[in-house]
Amino acid sequence: MDMTTSLVDHTFRKDVRRCFDKQTYAIPARWLYDRRGSELFEEITGLPEYYPTRTETELLKANGPAFAASVGTGRAVIEFGSGSSVKTPHLLKAIDPAAYVPIDISGEFLEHSASLLQEEFPDLPIYPVEADFMTRVALPEAVADMPKLGFFPGSTIGNMIARTSVDLLRFMRETLGEGAQLLIGFDRIKDIQTLVDAYDDAAGVTAQFSLNLLHRINRELDGDIPCDKFRHVAVWNDLYARVEIYLEAQADVRFSIDGHVHEMAEGQKIHIENSHKYGLRDARLMLRAGGWTPLHEWSDEQDYFTLMLVEAHPLKYAP
């Protein structure tokens, strides 16, 4: 087992133990994405209720010439949380990059998607990096001297509270370096029913995605959680402008994890994900706090989703 995998396993165990030992009943959303979770999420992106992927993909298809004019050619594209990289080809075709570095925490899924992309772009150097992008990532030496474009699609920034989002943006700046650019997606505030439906689809795929976290705990941490006694819950929290995802106990339950016994009462919830939505001013302010200067924005006609291109200008500490 390599050091990266060992670190991820240790951190996963620590986060789960904190959830139940300290009764915080919250687990970071990044642990939803083991191989099975990543596969389920890719299925979610094709659901009729899930507008973000569909809308963002159309933006990437429609604005290729604008990206090329703003970004230029010859950059190394660094994708944070690359997943299946299904949106990536649209960007790669538009800007003619010098290299592509997908970063993802799910190593097996990463290698598979990178190999598929290599078939589509046989002349493009691709350097997969298995890592948790929630901290500074060491990039391959091969791209060290190339100008860089970070790519963070999918509104993943919305899964984090504001403090964590700003920390991540700062880590991205450290990873990419001063002068780098970042193309990032933001899901916009819209009517509540559209938002909730996107995270509670009629086919129940999102529920499977959420419940897979409990199955993962059972598999990897010697757990015996009765997964059939929990249900997926999605609610809109207007105060924080976010959809909140929970796993709610449907009965009093008793189970063990790593040899430690825990109990939850009927109706108690485990908070497993947030999906914050933004007005454009909110997004710009957060980007500036993270060390990035907004350059350009592209939105669909309904203002459901926005792609923003930002740049790491030299930091200023006075007006």
Side-chain angles (χ1 to χ4, degrees):
M1 182 180 294
D2 61 43
M3 291 182 63
T4 301
T5 302
S6 299
L7 177 60
V8 168
D9 287 351
H10 170 74
T11 308
F12 177 49
R13 176 174 283 105
K14 183 178 69 173
D15 285 344
V16 172
R17 289 286 299 275
R18 180 188 298 115
C19 169
F20 295 106
D21 289 352
K22 296 181 180 290
Q23 297 184 343
T24 60
Y25 297 121
I27 299 175
R30 65 181 178 273
W31 301 121
L32 292 162
Y33 296 91
D34 63 348
R35 181 178 179 84
R36 179 58 180 154
S38 297
E39 291 170 347
L40 284 167
F41 181 73
E42 292 310 315
E43 189 174 344
I44 288 169
T45 63
L47 295 171
E49 297 96 334
Y50 197 77
Y51 63 86
T53 298
R54 183 171 58 251
T55 307
E56 185 179 34
T57 300
E58 289 304 316
L59 285 173
L60 287 166
K61 288 180 180 178
N63 293 287
F67 299 150
S70 301
V71 172
T73 60
R75 288 184 180 265
V77 173
I78 317 297
E79 184 169 2
F80 298 92
S82 54
S84 65
S85 302
V86 293
K87 302 170 191 170
T88 313
H90 304 298
L91 178 63
L92 300 182
K93 290 173 184 176
I95 68 170
D96 189 23
Y100 172 61
V101 180
I103 302 171
D104 203 274
I105 199 169
S106 179
E108 187 180 359
F109 198 67
L110 170 69
E111 292 293 339
H112 176 69
S113 58
S115 65
L116 292 178
L117 202 62
Q118 189 72 81
E119 293 177 7
E120 187 173 358
F121 297 88
D123 298 325
L124 178 67
I126 297 179
Y127 307 100
V129 175
E130 182 181 353
D132 182 356
F133 63 81
M134 295 299 296
T135 185
R136 180 177 180 176
V137 177
L139 298 178
E141 285 294 326
V143 304
D145 296 326
M146 297 179 186
K148 297 173 183 65
L149 171 68
F151 187 39
F152 196 41
S155 73
T156 307
I157 194 77
N159 293 143
M160 305 155 207
I161 61 174
R163 179 182 68 253
T164 308
S165 297
V166 171
D167 287 343
L168 173 60
L169 290 166
R170 289 173 177 168
F171 283 130
M172 287 179 168
R173 180 187 170 95
E174 291 179 15
T175 296
L176 299 173
E178 189 171 293
Q181 294 182 338
L182 173 67
L183 185 63
I184 182 171
F186 286 94
D187 198 3
R188 303 283 295 278
I189 296 172
K190 56 189 69 65
D191 70 279
I192 295 173
Q193 196 60 55
T194 298
L195 289 168
V196 172
D197 287 349
Y199 298 89
D200 194 12
D201 61 280
V205 182
T206 312
Q208 293 180 54
F209 174 66
S210 296
L211 288 164
N212 179 65
L213 177 59
L214 301 183
H215 289 292
R216 179 180 185 180
I217 292 170
N218 286 347
R219 287 193 306 269
E220 299 183 21
L221 303 180
D222 192 26
D224 60 2
I225 301 172
C227 302
D228 61 338
K229 300 298 184 184
F230 286 83
R231 74 180 183 104
H232 162 88
V233 177
V235 296
W236 172 253
N237 186 329
D238 195 62
L239 180 62
Y240 294 106
R242 68 190 187 194
V243 177
E244 297 175 348
I245 308 297
Y246 297 91
L247 289 169
E248 181 181 6
Q250 294 298 282
D252 294 347
V253 291
R254 179 183 174 89
F255 52 89
S256 65
I257 299 171
D258 270 345
H260 296 258
V261 176
H262 306 282
E263 296 180 351
M264 292 183 67
E266 180 180 357
Q268 280 192 297
K269 299 182 182 72
I270 306 169
H271 193 170
I272 61 170
E273 188 173 16
N274 294 313
S275 187
H276 293 83
K277 311 304 173 184
Y278 301 91
L280 284 182
R281 289 186 179 181
D282 306 326
R284 293 172 194 146
L285 180 62
M286 188 167 65
L287 288 162
R288 293 297 295 268
W292 296 92
T293 300
L295 299 178
H296 301 286
E297 300 165 359
W298 297 272
S299 298
D300 61 288
E301 291 184 359
Q302 293 178 288
D303 284 333
Y304 270 21
F305 201 93
T306 296
L307 283 168
M308 300 183 72
L309 181 67
V310 297
E311 191 166 88
H313 289 174
L315 295 175
K316 295 182 179 180
Y317 298 95

